[in-house]
Amino acid sequence: GAEAGPPYTDGPHLWENSGKMMLLHKLLKKLQERGSRVLIFCQMTRVLDILEDYCRLVGYQYCRIDGNTTGEARDSQMNEFNEEGSSKFVFLLSTRAGG
């Protein structure tokens, strides 16, 4: 990664060291201000790990499904995201989550 470590630290370097993350950071801020909600699909779960750290750091409520998610947890995450008035803003999904 971009940080020295271990131990690894959270901080704005999660998005400042990548042009794509900087764009995503700006885009998500605008979408949240408009009241939108976002699905982010990714093939690599390690990238989902980074996005999960990012969401936690900036305070976005999120759900996540990947190939290690059990069927019961998958249903729970989908229901939580789709619930009327849900506070979940981002749904992180692996394209290999199956289903």
Side-chain angles (χ1 to χ4, degrees):
E3 67 252 340
Y8 300 104
T9 58
D10 285 340
H13 63 275
L14 285 175
W15 64 86
E16 290 175 347
N17 289 310
S18 165
K20 289 178 183 177
M21 283 297 293
M22 287 176 59
L23 180 62
L24 183 65
H25 179 68
K26 291 176 185 177
L27 181 62
L28 289 177
K29 185 177 180 179
K30 288 181 182 181
L31 289 171
Q32 188 179 45
E33 289 171 355
R34 293 179 186 166
S36 297
R37 295 177 35 199
V38 179
L39 303 177
I40 299 176
F41 292 89
C42 187
Q43 289 184 336
M44 297 175 283
T45 57
R46 182 65 187 123
V47 174
L48 287 181
D49 295 341
I50 294 167
L51 290 169
E52 189 171 14
D53 289 345
Y54 167 78
C55 287
R56 185 177 34 77
L57 179 65
V58 297
Y60 293 146
Q61 296 290 314
Y62 65 92
C63 296
R64 175 181 172 157
I65 293 177
D66 62 33
N68 293 322
T69 307
T70 65
E72 185 176 301
R74 181 177 305 152
D75 290 344
S76 174
Q77 292 285 305
M78 288 189 296
N79 290 337
E80 192 173 344
F81 188 80
N82 289 321
E83 187 176 273
E84 184 72 31
S86 175
S87 64
K88 302 299 182 183
F89 170 57
V90 176
F91 206 135
L92 304 172
L93 299 143
S94 167
T95 56
R96 298 176 182 247

